[in-house]
Amino acid sequence: MVARILALGLLVLALPVLALLGVLVWLSLGSPVLFRQVRSGRGGAGFTLVKFRTMKDLRGVDGALLPDPLRTTRLGNFLRRTRLDELPSLVNVVSGDLAFIGPRPLLPKTLAAMGEEGRRRGAVRPGLTGLSQVSGNTLLTLDEKVALDLWYIDHRSLWLDSQIILRTVLVMVGGERRAFAVHGFGRR
């Protein structure tokens, strides 16, 4: 309950930034400004994750979406690098679908395909940020991310959460690095 109240306070404080970013996304990409996608929450329950849009809906001649790098705008790259595209997800924390810290919510089919590891990973509420996000995120393989997520689940603590929050700020400012994965943080 404390996390939900804190998220609501942060959401209110962030309203001017959310409004400015919303206008910039609208000018860059048009409508809709927000990206919504069903993800797996605690116990595999589905919920709609909300983020700022960062990509255009560009398709090839076959109708398939073009690769992400070809669809992501300059503003989208900035929002992703700084994690500002995640600000609207505070709504998911307020609603109780997300925690501040935990494994990132995955698509239901991705979680289901993981079998037992997916079930273990889904035993906790997913997070706005997490160990795999501050350990390299897009620089990691899915297996590395899952291993870090499971390690986090087994070793959760206030100390670890405070380290993840600090690293989240550093990633927002300095970009992604494989720092923790390379130095053994989060390994079994």
Side-chain angles (χ1 to χ4, degrees), residues 63 75 113 177:
L75 174 64
R177 292 184 179 84

Side-chain angles (χ1 to χ4, degrees), residues 117-181:
E117 286 183 332
R119 189 198 60 71
R120 278 192 57 217
R121 195 179 177 281
V124 299
R125 189 181 344 263
L128 192 57
T129 188
L131 184 58
S132 64
Q133 283 67 49
V134 300
S135 298
N137 196 23
T138 61
L139 305 175
L140 303 174
T141 66
L142 181 59
D143 288 341
E144 289 173 317
K145 290 178 189 181
V146 171
L148 286 165
D149 290 338
L150 294 176
W151 189 92
Y152 170 79
I153 290 167
D154 292 339
H155 297 89
R156 286 183 295 173
S157 69
L158 187 56
W159 172 251
L160 181 56
D161 286 354
S162 66
Q163 295 302 302
I164 291 171
I165 290 171
L166 174 63
R167 283 291 301 163
T168 299
V169 173
L170 294 175
V171 168
M172 289 173 74
V173 173
E176 293 180 346
R177 292 184 179 84
R178 290 178 57 98
F180 288 148

